[in-house]
Amino acid sequence: MKQPQCLCQICTCGRHRCPHNPTRIYDHGGESCLMTEYVDKYPQYGNIPPLQSLKPKQEYQKHGGKMEGITTFRSDYLPYDMANRPVRVQEEYKPAPGDMDLGTTYRRDYNVHKIQPVVLVRPLERKQVRGGKINTIPTYQADYRAWEIQRREPHKTDGTYHPPTEKFGNSTTFQDDFFPKELAPRKSYKPIAVTKLSDQPFNGLTSHRNDYIMHQLEPKWVRSKEEYRPNSQPFKDVTTHRCDFRGLVGELPKSFKPEYTKTESKAHFNGATEFRDSFQPWAVSLPEVHKAKEYIPPAGNMDLNTTSHLDYIEHEVHPVVLMRQLETSRKNNAPFQGNTTMRDDFQAWETSRQDMIKRPQEMPKPSGKFDDMTTFRAHYIPHSIVPTQSCKPLKVALSTAAPFEAGTMYRTEYTPKMQAICPATYPSPPGYVFVSTDSRGHKFFRKATPDTNTIAQANGNNHAPKEIAVVS
């Protein structure tokens, strides 16, 4: 006799599973469910030790030999004799004689076709404007009600500081040990600020002035301006898009989607689900509401006196009297001596700014009135403008008498097939007999061989597949 199968094993589409209940509402045994997809499909391997790493250990290996100061560059380097690069003489430009041929193979071999514009098939957009006003009052503003709350009076005492009115009669250590002394001015060793002038003249010669040699420059090569020569052929503004564009008009594509057929059934709908069958309602009591005790203020007034207020003894304190005499500023009428060692030893020389060395101007400045005649004005020849002929095709729709070939490989080679139905979609799978339900919620069925008519009457004809008619 075959073992019963679970609903998870009977399912062929992979979408139906038994409800794995973690609470065990049917029994309270200590057995655990070991049936999982991983246990069914993956085999168990033995104890395999982890692979040993072949990576070498990161240990510092000290080299015992002596390091040589010779490098590969020093050993392989060979010095070469360097010569100056020769200067390239610029050749004079010589234009090619004759006119340029602007004709191409495309212009010679291209045949012009008449093109008609494309007619738009897309309909115009229509905007729907709805009337009425929107309600902008939020739920918080409509449901909120402000409460009238009275402000609580503060119980803070007046603790402002009041300075003492009497003097503090204790002297400090500085007042007792300090003896006033007379200040004697120090002797200044600062030199007198007197500038010392030099009798020797300033030598302004430099190595640049002594070694500089004036060289004569070679005359600069001036390139002659090329005379403007207009093209003899007229300009053609015909583009590839204008020549090759063809607006073709065809029929709208037809949809190959099969027609929608609504399936209706007169049988009564069975609303039973796995959750309704497996769920058992429990009696639940309402939670107890904790009631806060009503606040009762104490009778009488609050005593704000503390131990510090009651035991504190006030003392008469006098401010500190300074025993040190105040320093008086002494004014010195003698002139300030600002001489320093730098001023005494530094010899100021009479210098003048060096003149800029300018090269003599090679090109003389032009004299006379400026002639505003340019090369373009001198050689320009006005021509009469010829209007360009439009190559745009006329807006005429193309029509053809040949019928449209709507046959495709999908229409000719398509074969309708029966849709396979998973047996787990039925309340009781056809060909199986219900056996039992375990503590985890798994439903077990055993195969049976009843008549086909009996199964169809029990489950109804709701799941009977229909063939889809395809037009070829």
Side-chain angles (χ1 to χ4, degrees), residues 119-165:
V119 181
L120 294 177
V121 185
R122 182 180 179 182
L124 299 176
E125 296 182 358
R126 297 180 180 178
K127 297 183 178 179
Q128 298 180 1
V129 181
R130 299 181 179 180
K133 296 182 179 180
I134 185 171
N135 186 13
T136 58
I137 300 176
T139 310
Y140 181 81
Q141 186 177 354
D143 300 344
Y144 178 73
R145 298 293 182 270
W147 294 351
E148 296 179 358
I149 302 174
Q150 297 180 358
R151 187 175 181 181
R152 300 172 62 183
E153 297 181 357
H155 298 283
K156 186 178 181 181
T157 57
D158 188 9
T160 56
Y161 172 73
H162 300 285
T165 56

Side-chain angles (χ1 to χ4, degrees), residues 183-384:
L183 296 176
R186 295 182 180 180
K187 184 180 179 181
S188 178
Y189 295 95
K190 194 173 184 180
I192 302 171
V194 178
T195 57
K196 295 181 180 180
L197 303 177
S198 178
D199 300 336
Q200 299 178 3
F202 177 73
N203 187 11
L205 296 177
T206 60
S207 59
H208 180 75
R209 289 190 175 184
N210 297 330
D211 301 339
Y212 182 74
I213 302 172
M214 295 285 293
H215 298 279
Q216 188 176 2
L217 298 176
E218 298 179 358
K220 187 178 180 181
W221 180 76
V222 181
R223 180 180 177 182
S224 59
K225 294 185 179 180
E226 184 182 358
E227 185 180 358
Y228 174 73
R229 293 183 299 173
N231 194 4
S232 59
Q233 298 182 4
F235 178 70
K236 295 182 181 180
D237 57 346
V238 180
T239 59
T240 310
H241 181 75
R242 290 185 177 180
C243 298
D244 299 347
F245 180 74
R246 293 187 300 172
L248 303 178
V249 180
E251 298 181 359
L252 294 176
K254 297 181 181 180
S255 176
F256 296 102
K257 187 178 180 180
E259 297 181 358
Y260 175 73
T261 55
K262 185 178 180 181
T263 58
E264 296 182 356
S265 177
K266 297 181 180 180
H268 181 68
F269 178 71
N270 188 8
T273 59
E274 297 177 0
F275 181 78
R276 289 187 178 182
D277 297 342
S278 304
F279 179 72
Q280 294 182 359
W282 296 346
V284 180
S285 60
L286 297 176
E288 297 181 1
V289 180
H290 178 71
K291 295 182 179 179
K293 295 182 180 180
E294 186 179 359
Y295 174 72
I296 301 175
N301 298 327
M302 184 177 180
D303 188 8
L304 299 176
N305 294 328
T306 61
T307 309
S308 177
H309 283 198
L310 297 176
D311 300 340
Y312 180 72
I313 301 173
E314 297 183 359
H315 300 278
E316 296 179 358
V317 181
H318 301 283
V320 180
V321 180
L322 295 176
M323 300 297 294
R324 184 178 180 179
Q325 295 180 1
L326 297 176
E327 296 181 358
T328 57
S329 58
R330 298 179 181 180
K331 295 183 179 179
N332 190 3
N333 298 327
F336 178 72
Q337 298 177 359
N339 293 338
T340 59
T341 311
M342 176 73 180
R343 287 189 177 184
D344 296 342
D345 299 342
F346 180 72
Q347 297 179 3
W349 295 341
E350 294 180 359
T351 59
S352 60
R353 190 173 182 181
Q354 184 181 358
D355 298 336
M356 184 184 294
I357 301 174
K358 296 183 179 179
R359 299 173 60 181
Q361 191 173 5
E362 299 177 358
M363 298 180 64
K365 293 184 179 180
S367 60
K369 191 177 180 181
F370 176 71
D371 188 8
D372 59 347
M373 180 61 67
T374 60
T375 309
F376 183 78
R377 289 186 178 182
H379 299 286
Y380 178 73
I381 301 173
H383 299 279
S384 59

Side-chain angles (χ1 to χ4, degrees), residues 421-436:
I421 301 174
C422 180
T425 55
Y426 298 95
S428 59
Y432 293 87
V433 179
F434 177 74
V435 179
S436 62

